[in-house]
Amino acid sequence: MTLFSKTFGAASAIAMSCAAVAAQADVLFWSTQARPAEEAQAMTEQVLSGFAGGVDYQPNEGGPWLTRLQAELQAGSGSIGVLGSLHGDFSAMNPDDLVDLDDLGVSSASATFNTLAKLGTDNMQYIPWMQASYIMAANKEALQYLPEGADIDALTYDQLIEWSANVHEAVGEPKFGFPAGPKGLKHRFFQGYLYPSYTNGVVRTFASDEAVTAWEAFKSLWEHTNPASTNFSFMQEQLLSGDAWIVFDHTSRLAQAFNDRPDDFVAFPAPAGPTGRGFMPVLAGVAIPRTAPDMDAAKELVKYMLDPATQIATLRATNFFPVVDVALPEDLPPSVKAAGDAVAKMSGSADANPGLLPAGLGDKGGDFSQVFVDTFERIVLANQDIRMVLDDQKGKLAAIMQESGAPCWAPDAASDGPCPVE
């Protein structure tokens, strides 16, 4: 028996087993999110218990999640009622395998997210469900040095550079902090923030003239960055110590600062560049496969997940933030309230330009990120010529894209086949 026939047989068996229980009363919510036992329990007891129809919440790793889904789609019937997963997982699917959800009358507060959820079609193929992201934070002592007329919730990169320069001059030392340490998430800043803000792309535009401008801007910012940033990984530590007054990091890596001293710090959106306010959402959505056994119940569950009260319950259970306009309760931890407000302003801004998590790279994901780390180290730390470095690194990036076969993701324009480095 061939490997293909073994796999096909296993998939068929899964599909038949699923079909046998398709008549169950509870809607099967098949999810890649909220997998840890504590989160899964909280989803069942705190989030989904209020759904009148009953929900069987089953979180799984990506592999088993996809295997069962594909088996049911192949068999033409099954038991999965609602799918929960990241945008990248849905974008890799055939839209014909998902039910159009325009008629539900629910969506996120972000027009950008709603466009992404159409997966290149004219209809909503999934509904944005919850989000996490990276944001900016600052010691309130730094606010007095903001450039004249600057709005902290709508900064540009030029204003961020000027602000950092003002602080540097006023206190006599550089106070911008950046997670450039070995465990820092610096690559996500370049992929999801700097490049989308200056080039409206990540892969296609990697070595563009606009990318040269982006790196020139970052070098200007680096002049006002604490040089010890090459050892910084969790910027909450530098906020609390005072080694940095203005920082960028993932919401979870800033939480301790806001929880320990909530009155000392402020969270705010990432700045905007010439091509928008680049930011990297970790965007999860809910969708309905065409094989759902009870389409009406599945649609009701999707609508339930977007209810403001459910969105708050989901935040408590998962630490993922709402995608709808909702007032955050006063009893949430200070870090959640501060970060949630900043994330909402960032994703809902008119110039929002999300740089999505890389998708389709397989085991080349680490190599992909290393290209951006190496580029940073050569241009910023070693002060090598920007054009020379980009032209050199361009070939490495192109090889990774060809070997992985990964198509482009937003904000790069869609591609047929591997995303080209133009």
Side-chain angles (χ1 to χ4, degrees), residues 43 47 129-130 305 310-320:
M43 280 291 296
V47 179
W129 168 26
M130 57 185 186
M305 298 310 296
T310 309
Q311 289 269 294
I312 293 297
T314 302
L315 168 59
R316 294 185 187 278
T318 67
N319 287 318
F320 268 66

Side-chain angles (χ1 to χ4, degrees), residues 251-297:
T251 54
S252 66
R253 295 181 174 214
L254 297 169
Q256 184 183 349
F258 285 94
N259 288 335
D260 287 0
R261 288 161 44 193
D263 295 332
D264 291 350
F265 306 110
V266 60
F268 54 98
T275 56
R277 193 170 304 278
F279 74 105
M280 180 173 275
V282 182
L283 178 62
V286 281
I288 301 174
R290 58 176 170 78
T291 50
D294 187 338
M295 200 63 68
D296 290 340

Side-chain angles (χ1 to χ4, degrees), residues 18 21 24 26-35 40 43-44 48 55-61 64-65 68 79-80 82-84:
C18 294
V21 297
Q24 64 186 10
D26 292 351
V27 179
L28 174 55
F29 192 162
W30 191 241
S31 175
T32 63
Q33 301 304 294
R35 290 196 306 266
M43 280 291 296
T44 298
L48 300 170
V55 182
D56 178 14
Y57 184 73
Q58 293 190 25
N60 278 272
E61 294 282 351
W65 180 87
R68 177 167 177 173
S79 60
I80 298 173
V82 170
L83 299 166

Side-chain angles (χ1 to χ4, degrees), residues 87-89 91-92 356-362 401 404 406-409:
H87 169 83
D89 295 320
S91 66
L356 300 182
L357 283 165
L361 293 170
M401 302 313 296
S404 68
C408 297
W409 56 86

Side-chain angles (χ1 to χ4, degrees), residues 5 9 98 229 241 247-248 251:
S5 60
L98 300 174
S229 287
S241 68
V247 305
F248 162 89
T251 54

Side-chain angles (χ1 to χ4, degrees), residues 72-266:
E72 294 194 5
L73 292 170
Q74 191 174 50
S77 65
S79 60
I80 298 173
V82 170
L83 299 166
S85 199
L86 297 177
H87 169 83
D89 295 320
F90 289 128
S91 66
M93 294 180 61
N94 183 343
D96 291 340
D97 288 333
L98 300 174
V99 176
D100 291 347
L101 300 176
D102 283 5
D103 63 341
L104 295 189
V106 294
S107 62
S108 78
S110 168
T112 304
F113 286 178
N114 296 334
T115 298
L116 290 174
K118 294 181 179 180
L119 301 179
T121 71
D122 295 329
N123 306 102
M124 299 283 280
Q125 302 301 305
Y126 72 84
I127 301 295
W129 168 26
M130 57 185 186
Q131 62 174 321
S133 195
Y134 305 72
I135 57 172
M136 304 289 296
N139 188 312
K140 290 182 179 178
E141 284 289 318
L143 298 182
Q144 62 188 304
Y145 303 110
L146 274 166
E148 184 176 354
D151 178 355
I152 195 172
D153 290 327
L155 289 177
T156 66
Y157 274 94
D158 288 343
Q159 289 174 326
L160 175 63
I161 293 167
E162 184 180 352
W163 184 19
S164 299
N166 291 346
V167 172
H168 188 174
E169 181 179 4
V171 303
E173 58 182 333
K175 287 289 189 178
F176 185 78
F178 187 71
K183 296 182 179 179
L185 299 172
K186 51 188 174 292
H187 53 292
R188 295 305 191 208
F189 174 81
F190 303 127
Q191 297 163 1
Y193 292 78
L194 189 69
Y195 262 82
S197 296
Y198 278 86
T199 77
N200 199 35
V202 180
V203 177
R204 288 180 181 272
T205 59
F206 175 79
S208 62
D209 290 342
E210 292 78 9
V212 173
T213 302
W215 284 108
E216 288 173 343
F218 191 77
K219 286 190 70 174
S220 295
L221 181 59
W222 193 259
E223 293 176 10
H224 310 292
T225 299
N226 186 327
S229 287
T230 52
N231 296 316
F232 296 167
S233 295
F234 289 71
M235 297 310 303
Q236 59 194 7
E237 299 167 4
Q238 280 65 50
L239 282 176
L240 288 168
S241 68
D243 288 334
W245 281 12
I246 308 168
V247 305
F248 162 89
D249 213 338
H250 191 279
T251 54
S252 66
R253 295 181 174 214
L254 297 169
Q256 184 183 349
F258 285 94
N259 288 335
D260 287 0
R261 288 161 44 193
D263 295 332
D264 291 350
F265 306 110
V266 60

